[in-house]
Amino acid sequence: MDVLHGINKASLLAALVAGGLALPVHGARPAKELASKPTVADVIKASKPSDWRALDPDNTLYMEVPGGRVIIELAPTFAPRHVANIKTLARENYFDGLAIIRSQDNWVVQWGDADEKNPRPMKSARATLPAEFTVPMKNDVHFTRLPDRDGYAPRVGHSNGFPSARDPKSGQAWLTHCYGMVGVGRDNGADSGSGSSLYVVIGHAPRHLDRNITVVGRVISGMPLLSILPRGPAPMGFYDKPEQHVPIASFKVAADVPEAERSKFEVMRTDSAAYKAAVEAQRNRGGPWTKVAAGHIDLCNAPIPVREQQ
Amino acid sequence: MDVLHGINKASLLAALVAGGLALPVHGARPAKELASKPTVADVIKASKPSDWRALDPDNTLYMEVPGGRVIIELAPTFAPRHVANIKTLARENYFDGLAIIRSQDNWVVQWGDADEKNPRPMKSARATLPAEFTVPMKNDVHFTRLPDRDGYAPRVGHSNGFPSARDPKSGQAWLTHCYGMVGVGRDNGADSGSGSSLYVVIGHAPRHLDRNITVVGRVISGMPLLSILPRGPAPMGFYDKPEQHVPIASFKVAADVPEAERSKFEVMRTDSAAYKAAVEAQRNRGGPWTKVAAGHIDLCNAPIPVREQQ
């Protein structure tokens, strides 16, 4: 995940300088330069192997599209039935040869079966499933709360690498619609989705979708293969000609791919001290480029570092 | 501006249904269906001519790139010196023949002069300018506050069509880094920018840049011409080969373009009752597709409707 933040080439260097103090200053111009402090890159460099976890091949999807592989980490804790159904669809080759059929600017890219007249038959996968918009909080034992306040939920943070929210009053938890999160398209009925139509967020987080859609995972690698797809000319960004469709060569569970062909990534544990430091590096950046530290981080701006397995 | 929000084709119809009640429900599943209520499209349809304002050609830029025209509305209230300098640069043909040189996923697209060895000379434009990160609140007489709380600033809302924030304690106001906002690249020095290097936000709002950069305006039309540009392979998304550069055929102040060649857009007045209704339509959506109304809207999710002039 790219976390460099400078705007000019010169600031690339500036972004690599490193410790200091930064309080939120809602002022005109800070009185003095901010001290430099560790960046996310510094935190990653100083992290220990135990701060990272490898992807579980049985809960990882590879979607092969023109240009390369999109890697999706599934979140069975939050959507057990949908995750199982998507894996069944993948194993029964449902998505192979289907296509990306929608690209709407600042919104989503979506794939599935565009042929409404002759839809691809499903084998043993379910055509609809009960909604999994939220789960009981007790099901998610890996939640690390962010101290930063959020407008959409009483509590937000990360659950084992996924941005999430929860409400102690209702006792429910849910994944949030940040950039790169993958959800299940549905019709008006809450229980009308199955995972045969999936989308990924490619713009500013549409958090109002939270608790309205079953969210099943997150793109770990390959977002630029999706985010640059030409926007569709039809309403809601759908492509209106078959030749616009972006073919999905294959869509597989990583565990079903020969080991030599697997991508080896690891994700920083979001319940680690290293992750806390990575978030703080973004919440209150040091100088010299930054002049005013934000003193806050939005859930969907908090980095979740991913790297090639060491 | 595209404000449709359904995820399946079927919900396109659902999104066009119209009044009801919606309180934030942080629950597992709402007890009953949400009543339908007006959408943003309904609000636009019901709006009056006086709810809209035309773009001022003297504060509008046309950037011609492969595929079409990017239209930028400038915000002289927030950055008078930079706006004037950018117009001087445009009028002295500074940008014509330069290129888009950077595209970083979920971050920015940036343009300017890639040739550091033989930089294009400036004529009467200034090579650096004092920072305009914030302005006195009293300078902005068109601020309409959003009631929704924000993590990055004590008050947020819209200033005559631009998302903005302010702090009564410091007495300062500033434009915010939402999707489509245009800012001035700079080096480490606060006063090192001029407007000769500009960027536009193409991902989740990097609000920590607020008050750290001079923000000069907003892309009104043409975002998809920029947001789909291949991401650059060099650090920070810079292109590393000249042939990757995306040429800027011309970059002009709209007032300098013959009237017949001008684009005719109008922006909903963000201090109008119509705009208040448009925001509410997004803050608390009605059924049948939406099952849980968010009860909140993030500043950068609030729509600012733009349409062809009526």
Side-chain angles (χ1 to χ4, degrees):
Chain A
M1 177 147 298
D2 206 330
V3 291
L4 293 166
H5 58 285
I7 292 295
N8 265 350
K9 279 183 187 178
S11 59
L12 174 58
L13 292 176
L16 298 173
V17 182
L21 144 129
L23 289 173
V25 181
H26 294 299
R29 186 78 72 80
K32 51 174 183 172
E33 291 286 317
L34 294 176
S36 67
K37 58 179 286 191
T39 64
V40 175
D42 296 322
V43 171
I44 291 173
K45 205 173 169 187
S47 66
K48 300 176 302 241
S50 59
D51 294 324
W52 301 80
R53 62 174 176 79
L55 295 179
D56 173 4
D58 201 47
N59 282 310
T60 303
L61 298 170
Y62 295 159
M63 179 164 73
E64 307 289 347
V65 296
R69 176 178 284 179
V70 176
I71 303 175
I72 298 167
E73 183 176 25
L74 295 167
T77 300
F78 287 89
R81 289 171 294 205
H82 284 78
V83 164
N85 207 49
I86 290 166
K87 286 160 64 176
T88 299
L89 287 163
R91 288 178 160 143
E92 295 180 348
N93 304 105
Y94 176 80
F95 290 103
D96 301 348
L98 289 182
I100 297 168
I101 59 175
R102 179 185 185 194
S103 168
Q104 185 174 6
D105 201 54
N106 193 23
W107 192 242
V108 300
V109 158
Q110 185 171 345
W111 58 93
D113 190 354
D115 192 341
E116 292 182 330
K117 284 184 185 160
N118 297 295
R120 178 171 291 204
M122 291 186 188
K123 295 173 188 166
S124 67
R126 297 275 304 274
T128 61
L129 280 176
E132 295 177 300
F133 298 163
T134 68
V135 295
M137 277 166 53
K138 65 176 168 49
N139 291 14
D140 171 28
V141 298
H142 291 286
F143 181 68
T144 304
R145 188 176 176 184
L146 277 180
D148 309 81
R149 71 183 194 176
D150 182 83
Y152 289 98
R155 293 184 185 176
V156 294
H158 294 89
S159 300
N160 205 23
F162 298 96
S164 73
R166 49 179 48 199
D167 181 3
K169 278 190 196 158
S170 69
Q172 297 292 306
W174 57 93
L175 295 181
T176 57
H177 278 82
C178 296
Y179 190 84
M181 294 296 282
V182 178
V184 170
R186 65 165 172 86
D187 294 326
N188 279 346
D191 303 337
S192 61
S194 69
S196 64
S197 176
L198 295 168
Y199 66 88
V200 59
V201 173
I202 61 159
H204 189 77
R207 294 279 312 279
H208 57 276
L209 295 180
D210 294 357
R211 296 176 291 142
N212 279 295
I213 279 196
T214 301
V215 180
V216 294
R218 181 170 86 97
V219 173
I220 292 293
S221 175
M223 273 304 293
L225 299 170
L226 304 175
S227 59
I228 66 162
L229 294 176
R231 307 315 184 207
M236 301 170 63
F238 280 95
Y239 296 130
D240 56 5
K241 296 191 183 75
E243 59 267 31
Q244 294 165 340
H245 290 165
V246 178
I248 298 170
S250 76
F251 187 96
K252 291 186 191 302
V253 180
D256 300 342
V257 170
E259 183 136 8
E261 294 165 29
R262 290 188 201 158
S263 304
K264 305 287 186 186
F265 281 96
E266 54 186 9
V267 179
M268 187 177 273
R269 292 182 190 276
T270 49
D271 54 2
S272 68
Y275 187 63
K276 198 172 178 180
V279 172
E280 176 57 18
Q282 300 269 72
R283 180 190 290 116
N284 286 304
R285 292 166 194 243
W289 192 89
T290 297
K291 305 305 177 189
V292 180
H296 172 82
I297 193 160
D298 180 80
L299 172 63
C300 293
N301 278 324
I304 308 173
V306 173
R307 67 179 184 185
E308 297 273 349
Q309 220 166 329
Q310 305 286 296
Chain B
M1 178 146 301
D2 206 333
V3 291
L4 294 166
H5 56 285
I7 292 295
N8 267 348
K9 278 183 185 175
S11 61
L12 175 58
L13 293 174
L16 298 173
V17 182
L21 144 126
L23 289 173
V25 180
H26 293 300
R29 187 77 73 78
K32 52 176 184 173
E33 293 285 315
L34 294 175
S36 65
K37 58 179 286 193
T39 64
V40 175
D42 295 325
V43 171
I44 291 173
K45 205 172 168 186
S47 66
K48 301 177 302 240
S50 59
D51 294 325
W52 301 80
R53 61 175 176 79
L55 295 179
D56 172 5
D58 201 47
N59 282 309
T60 303
L61 298 170
Y62 295 158
M63 179 165 73
E64 308 289 347
V65 295
R69 176 178 284 179
V70 176
I71 304 175
I72 298 167
E73 183 176 24
L74 295 167
T77 299
F78 286 89
R81 289 171 293 203
H82 284 77
V83 163
N85 207 49
I86 290 166
K87 287 159 64 174
T88 299
L89 287 163
R91 287 178 163 143
E92 296 179 349
N93 304 104
Y94 175 81
F95 290 102
D96 303 347
L98 289 182
I100 297 168
I101 58 175
R102 179 185 185 195
S103 169
Q104 184 174 7
D105 201 54
N106 192 26
W107 192 242
V108 300
V109 158
Q110 186 171 343
W111 60 92
D113 190 353
D115 191 342
E116 294 182 329
K117 284 185 186 160
N118 297 294
R120 178 172 290 206
M122 292 187 186
K123 295 172 188 166
S124 68
R126 298 275 302 274
T128 61
L129 280 177
E132 295 176 300
F133 299 163
T134 68
V135 294
M137 278 167 51
K138 64 176 168 45
N139 290 15
D140 171 28
V141 298
H142 290 288
F143 181 68
T144 304
R145 188 177 176 183
L146 276 181
D148 309 80
R149 72 182 194 174
D150 182 82
Y152 289 96
R155 293 185 185 176
V156 294
H158 294 88
S159 299
N160 205 25
F162 297 96
S164 71
R166 49 177 53 198
D167 180 3
K169 278 190 197 158
S170 68
Q172 297 292 307
W174 57 92
L175 295 181
T176 57
H177 277 82
C178 296
Y179 190 86
M181 294 296 282
V182 177
V184 170
R186 65 164 171 87
D187 294 326
N188 279 346
D191 302 338
S192 61
S194 69
S196 63
S197 177
L198 295 168
Y199 66 88
V200 60
V201 174
I202 61 159
H204 189 76
R207 294 280 310 281
H208 56 277
L209 296 179
D210 295 356
R211 296 176 291 142
N212 278 295
I213 279 196
T214 300
V215 181
V216 294
R218 182 170 86 98
V219 173
I220 292 294
S221 175
M223 272 303 293
L225 299 171
L226 304 175
S227 58
I228 68 162
L229 293 176
R231 307 315 183 208
M236 301 171 63
F238 281 95
Y239 296 130
D240 55 4
K241 297 191 182 75
E243 58 267 31
Q244 295 164 340
H245 290 166
V246 179
I248 298 170
S250 76
F251 187 97
K252 290 186 191 299
V253 179
D256 300 341
V257 170
E259 183 136 7
E261 294 165 29
R262 291 188 201 157
S263 303
K264 303 288 186 186
F265 282 95
E266 55 187 9
V267 179
M268 187 176 274
R269 291 183 191 276
T270 49
D271 53 1
S272 68
Y275 187 62
K276 198 172 179 181
V279 172
E280 176 57 18
Q282 301 269 71
R283 180 189 292 116
N284 287 303
R285 291 164 194 244
W289 191 88
T290 297
K291 306 303 177 190
V292 181
H296 172 82
I297 193 159
D298 180 79
L299 172 64
C300 293
N301 280 322
I304 308 172
V306 174
R307 67 179 184 187
E308 297 273 349
Q309 220 166 329
Q310 306 284 299

